[in-house]
Amino acid sequence: MRRPALASLLAATTAVSLTFALAFAPSRAAEEAVVIPTPAMDAAPASGIQTAVIAGGCFWGVQGVFQHTAGVVNAVSGYAGGTKATADYQTVSSGRTGHAESVEIKYDPKKISYGKILQIYFSVAHDPTQLNRQGPDSGPQYRSAIFTTSDEQKKVAEAYIAQLNSAKVFGRPIVTKVGALEAFYPAEAYHQDYLTLHPNQPYIAYNDLPKVENLKKLFADNYIEKPTLVSSAKATN
């Protein structure tokens, strides 16, 4: 399964369709938040804007979570793991490109650490125990993956996964793959800021808005009410 075609999604934003979707949905959202410990190892303090790239299912929800996270200066939906030639939505949706729907997070390490970003990622942004799927979406393009930009990020990510598995905070082992980022390709413009622009779209309302609410509940000190949108970041650069 995967999300409906984009045209259908944009046509399904009425209150009637939302009520119908929720009425026939299971009793809980696709991924539930899990309370997890902070990383025992974190990246060293740094100056300047840093980059983290993560994948955890549909990029709409992951982007939305980090757009509501303090210290994030931009969060862009896109593709990582494949080539530039195949970095488009329709091709990636085939599941044969090597790409994962990903989010590139630019953040201020003086306001949020790499470890805290990973804690939010594992806790509220997605379920790291689902292999090549996330909630209603299946295929390798929805895999759980961390694309590291340095050896330090790799060490922090691998140590945190080992820590969480050892603590058995999830009912199943974490399947998140950690590998070096080769390139990140921004997704098409209509995918950016999708959660904010389409809050009544049934897929967003059911699968993704609960993630933002869980961020607010579990990470109150890191939550901001007004999202940091891609459109705003472009306007200020």
Side-chain angles (χ1 to χ4, degrees):
M1 291 181 62
R2 64 163 291 107
R3 292 163 296 182
L6 183 67
S8 298
L9 289 173
L10 295 178
T13 57
T14 64
V16 173
S17 64
L18 175 59
T19 301
F20 180 86
L22 296 180
F24 290 92
S27 61
R28 65 177 183 85
E31 296 94 32
E32 293 183 339
V34 178
V35 176
I36 62 177
T38 58
M41 176 191 298
D42 206 339
S47 298
I49 302 304
Q50 304 293 306
T51 302
V53 177
I54 55 177
C58 170
F59 44 29
W60 295 340
V62 178
Q63 181 192 46
V65 165
F66 285 99
Q67 289 183 324
H68 281 278
T69 300
V72 172
V73 299
N74 201 11
V76 177
S77 290
Y79 314 107
T83 67
K84 182 178 181 179
T86 60
D88 67 86
Y89 183 65
Q90 293 301 325
T91 309
V92 170
S93 295
S94 72
R96 298 189 296 270
T97 65
H99 280 296
E101 289 196 9
S102 306
V103 176
E104 178 190 67
I105 301 165
K106 299 286 187 179
Y107 65 98
D108 184 345
K110 294 182 179 179
K111 297 180 179 179
I112 187 170
S113 71
Y114 182 66
K116 178 60 68 174
I117 287 173
L118 293 185
Q119 186 182 16
I120 292 170
Y121 165 70
F122 283 120
S123 175
V124 305
H126 84 308
D127 179 352
T129 69
Q130 295 192 36
L131 181 63
N132 291 334
R133 67 172 301 116
Q134 202 65 205
D137 303 315
S138 63
Q141 69 271 33
Y142 298 112
R143 66 187 182 274
S144 176
I146 299 171
F147 298 94
T148 59
T149 62
S150 67
D151 288 341
E152 182 180 43
Q153 284 192 358
K154 181 176 185 292
K155 291 177 182 177
V156 171
E158 289 178 341
Y160 196 29
I161 291 171
Q163 176 189 343
L164 295 176
N165 276 332
S166 178
K168 292 182 171 55
V169 295
F170 297 100
R172 295 173 293 177
I174 292 172
V175 297
T176 307
K177 299 297 184 182
V178 178
L181 176 70
E182 295 187 3
F184 174 83
Y185 304 98
E188 296 81 351
Y190 60 80
H191 285 300
Q192 308 301 338
D193 306 333
Y194 198 92
L195 181 146
T196 297
L197 295 175
H198 305 284
N200 293 325
Q201 197 279 319
Y203 182 99
I204 294 292
Y206 183 67
N207 293 288
D208 294 334
L209 289 182
K211 298 177 182 181
V212 177
E213 287 302 310
N214 285 329
L215 174 71
K216 182 177 182 180
K217 180 173 64 175
L218 298 183
F219 297 92
D221 291 342
N222 303 101
Y223 174 81
I224 54 173
E225 187 70 30
K226 182 180 179 180
T228 304
L229 303 180
V230 173
S231 55
S232 300
K234 288 182 179 179
T236 56
N237 289 337

